[in-house]
């Protein structure tokens, strides 16, 4: 998914899909998919029916799973750097990724 976010036309499509999501959980799942296979344990931390707060989901996730927190940040660093270099910060999807990275 991170390759699509780095492509200018694909990033526009992802932004459109992101803005059409009805719930915070759907949006967070899209953002978490950028973090690779770690999104598979998302349901362990945020079970069905849990109201996921969009502003601190990754921070809560890392507190619940500290053994993989460093790996997620290591994976995020080059992605965040490329997003900034490409100038895709205007997309709300990318802004959420940047917020997650800065908070953690």
């Amino acid at each position: 998914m991170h390759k699509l976010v780095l492509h200018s036309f694909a990033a526009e499509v992802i932004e459109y899909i992101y803005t059409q999501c009805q719930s915070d959980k759907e949006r967070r799942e899209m953002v978490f998919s950028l973090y690779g296979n770690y999104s598979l344990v998302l349901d362990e931390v945020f079970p069905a029916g849990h109201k996921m707060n969009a502003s601190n989901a990754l921070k809560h996730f890392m507190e619940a799973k500290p053994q993989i927190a460093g790996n997620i940040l290591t994976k995020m660093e080059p992605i965040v750097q490329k997003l900034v270099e490409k100038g895709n910060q205007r997309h709300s999807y990318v802004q959420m990724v940047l917020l997650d990275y800065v908070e953690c």
Side-chain angles (χ1 to χ4, degrees):
M1 174 94 143
H2 71 276
K3 289 182 182 181
L4 294 175
V5 173
L6 297 175
H7 189 274
S8 59
F9 296 117
E12 295 291 335
V13 173
I14 292 171
E15 176 65 15
Y16 175 77
I17 294 168
Y18 183 78
T19 58
Q20 297 302 310
C21 289
Q22 299 296 317
S23 68
D24 282 344
K25 183 167 176 71
E26 290 173 342
R27 288 186 177 124
R28 291 311 302 179
E29 286 174 352
M30 281 187 69
V31 172
F32 271 58
S33 68
L34 187 65
Y35 308 150
N37 294 337
Y38 303 114
S39 64
L40 298 174
V41 293
L42 182 65
D43 288 334
E44 290 179 25
V45 177
F46 302 108
H50 180 269
K51 178 84 170 141
M52 193 183 307
N53 185 345
S55 65
N56 64 1
L58 183 65
K59 189 174 182 180
H60 179 72
F61 181 81
M62 292 176 122
E63 289 170 356
K65 298 284 185 182
Q67 64 275 19
I68 61 174
N71 294 335
I72 293 174
L73 288 176
T74 301
K75 182 172 180 63
M76 283 180 67
E77 185 175 353
I79 294 169
V80 167
Q81 183 178 3
K82 287 179 185 177
L83 287 171
V84 172
E85 287 173 0
K86 293 270 186 175
N88 288 345
Q89 308 91 298
R90 71 180 185 279
H91 300 300
S92 54
Y93 177 84
V94 174
Q95 291 172 3
M96 186 58 71
V97 173
L98 294 174
L99 177 66
D100 280 349
Y101 184 73
V102 170
E103 282 183 341
C104 297

